[in-house]
Amino acid sequence: MQKILVTGGCGYIGSHTVVDLLENGFEVISIDDNSRSTPYLLDGIEKITGKKIKNYKVDLKNFDETLAVFQENEDITGVIHFAAYKAVGESVAKPLDYYENNMFGLVNLLKCVKEFAIPNFVFSSSCTVYGNPDVVPVTEETPKKDAESPYGATKQMGERIITDFTHIENNSAILLRYFNPVGAHPSILIGELPLGRPQNLVPAITQTAIGKLPQMQVFGGDYPTRDGSCVRDYIHVSDIAHAHTLALQYLIDGRNKTKCDVFNLGSGNGVTVFEAINAFEKVSGQKLNYKVGPRRAGDVIAIYANNNYAVQALNWQIKFGLDDMMHTAWEWELKVKKDEVLMKKQNPALN
Ligand code: WQD
């Protein structure tokens, strides 16, 4: 059984990928400092898979503590690296936090990969590396323009660091460029848990619908798109998660074409913000309270994927559509609220 280290295993995409890896016969450990997550999702992972995974509460910026995890687990054969800050708008306001956290963490991790000669490395990259593309859909060959945000810049730099690293080290990597991961595991036992006010669209929608937020703001209704709002490629988080398992197996089988193959992980469908809101209202039966406000700094106007390469080379079959994404996101929001009521009953201090 191959042991895989997942960094950010308590996070949104990390936890869903842990489930998929466990269901596909891998052994998994996690490094997550819980600065942007909580161990809450580990319970959900155990309920879904029947397996408890160990999380090392370590900040990747601390090299010694990170190295100690590898020293304790010398049988790691692969690393999937999620742990990073990932909010476009926040990165515009706090660039140094993003460069320090995302880049120092990655370099420390790669030093450990080198030290222990770990053969397989999968990197959580992002469609933000394309900047504002001139033509959509984007393929993996679409030229990368200047990133529109420090967050996007950290993903561009991360790709370059890993590419240079694999060219001189005896290992291979895969760069997975996510589009917009949304929704929750069909079991509704794990999902997205933004700490504080949600930065991303779908949790902002569901938290507004459930009453946690008074009103949602559409960041700009005057873009040059079919209805004036930005276009994105929403993809179910469980489809994204399974693509990681497929990518890892692709490396293990030695099917990679280069030392650092790149894949677009998107549905291939462009959806506007207003269309996403309409899909949510249709699926949930909730009328969303929102208003159209000013544009958000760092936003790309329109982007969606040509995902043919991932579908063919990884044999990736997308299972979930936009309605499934909205349905599972809403069901998860309802579950979290129910749990919060339960937790408050059990821990009056939380009231
Ligand atoms: C989507 C659209 C907003 C909130 C995300 C991740 C990033 C990367 C790429 C994986 C935009 C609009 C949002 C709100 C709104 N993914 N919006 N009101 O910026 O595309 O980036 O996907 O690596 O990590 O953050 O996603 O959900 O923030 O925004 O109108 O309250 O929704 O302007 O047009 P984004 P998002």
Side-chain angles (χ1 to χ4, degrees):
M1 185 183 278
Q2 305 233 7
K3 181 186 273 189
I4 306 302
L5 166 65
V6 171
T7 73
C10 297
Y12 177 41
I13 307 173
S15 58
H16 286 78
T17 301
V18 168
V19 165
D20 201 88
L21 288 167
L22 291 172
E23 289 179 335
N24 284 278
F26 290 95
E27 185 185 351
V28 181
I29 58 170
S30 166
I31 288 181
D32 193 315
D33 66 0
N34 293 146
S35 62
R36 298 287 173 102
S37 64
T38 72
Y40 177 78
L41 294 179
L42 296 178
D43 295 343
I45 291 170
E46 190 175 354
K47 286 193 183 109
I48 296 168
T49 64
K51 296 172 185 162
K52 201 174 180 60
I53 69 138
K54 182 173 178 54
N55 178 59
Y56 292 84
K57 193 170 177 181
V58 163
D59 181 343
L60 294 176
K61 296 193 289 294
N62 182 320
F63 175 71
D64 293 339
E65 287 186 10
T66 304
L67 189 70
V69 176
F70 285 80
Q71 286 162 339
E72 196 181 307
N73 297 275
E74 294 204 19
D75 48 351
I76 293 171
T77 57
V79 173
I80 303 182
H81 179 40
F82 292 102
Y85 296 161
K86 63 116 182 160
V88 169
E90 182 188 50
S91 76
V92 174
K94 301 177 181 172
L96 290 186
D97 290 3
Y98 271 68
Y99 289 121
E100 180 184 44
N101 187 67
N102 293 5
M103 304 336 297
F104 287 22
L106 172 63
V107 170
N108 277 345
L109 188 62
L110 290 174
K111 284 178 178 176
C112 296
V113 166
K114 175 183 168 72
E115 175 93 13
F116 288 87
I118 293 169
N120 305 304
F121 190 87
V122 179
F123 178 59
S124 164
S125 188
S126 162
C127 60
T128 44
V129 303
Y130 296 109
N132 243 324
D134 297 328
V135 177
V136 284
V138 294
T139 71
E140 289 83 356
E141 284 67 47
T142 297
K144 290 186 278 187
K145 297 170 69 176
D146 279 350
E148 291 290 314
S149 66
Y151 162 76
T154 67
K155 292 302 182 183
Q156 285 182 339
M157 281 186 267
E159 291 196 353
R160 177 61 197 263
I161 290 168
I162 294 162
T163 303
D164 292 346
F165 175 75
T166 55
H167 284 170
I168 51 115
E169 294 303 327
N170 187 22
N171 74 345
S172 298
I174 283 188
L175 310 176
L176 296 178
R177 291 174 181 165
Y178 312 155
F179 284 69
N180 287 56
V182 297
H185 188 272
S187 66
I188 314 299
L189 289 168
I190 54 174
E192 191 165 9
L193 270 181
L195 299 185
R197 188 183 177 82
Q199 308 259 335
N200 295 127
L201 177 66
V202 173
I205 288 176
T206 57
Q207 287 199 15
T208 301
I210 207 158
K212 276 186 181 171
L213 295 175
Q215 184 181 53
M216 201 209 97
Q217 196 172 146
V218 173
F219 296 139
D222 59 350
Y223 283 100
T225 63
R226 55 181 174 268
D227 64 14
S229 64
C230 290
V231 177
R232 291 290 184 276
D233 180 328
Y234 297 98
I235 175 83
H236 195 284
V237 63
S238 290
D239 280 322
I240 290 269
H242 189 54
H244 286 75
T245 305
L246 294 173
L248 195 58
Q249 199 57 57
Y250 173 88
L251 282 181
I252 292 167
D253 298 346
R255 286 182 280 133
N256 46 310
K257 308 280 185 301
T258 71
K259 299 261 307 185
C260 196
D261 283 357
V262 184
F263 292 98
N264 280 344
L265 294 188
S267 68
N269 305 312
V271 171
T272 72
V273 174
F274 291 128
E275 289 164 352
I277 291 172
N278 293 341
F280 172 78
E281 290 182 328
K282 179 188 74 175
V283 160
S284 66
Q286 306 292 312
K287 189 84 188 83
L288 189 71
N289 175 10
Y290 69 90
K291 70 172 183 178
V292 182
R295 296 180 176 188
R296 178 176 70 176
D299 267 338
V300 157
I301 299 167
I303 188 162
Y304 60 97
N306 173 323
N307 64 5
N308 293 339
Y309 185 38
V311 169
Q312 284 151 16
L314 300 180
N315 190 24
W316 184 41
Q317 282 129 26
I318 292 169
K319 291 193 184 130
F320 301 96
L322 186 62
D323 288 355
D324 303 312
M325 296 175 213
M326 294 304 177
H327 172 72
T328 51
W330 179 233
E331 289 300 314
W332 169 251
E333 192 66 63
L334 291 166
K335 187 235 191 274
V336 168
K337 181 162 176 93
K338 202 164 72 194
D339 282 0
E340 277 169 353
V341 169
L342 204 61
M343 274 190 270
K344 282 180 179 162
K345 270 195 192 136
Q346 289 162 351
N347 315 302
L350 287 175
N351 291 310

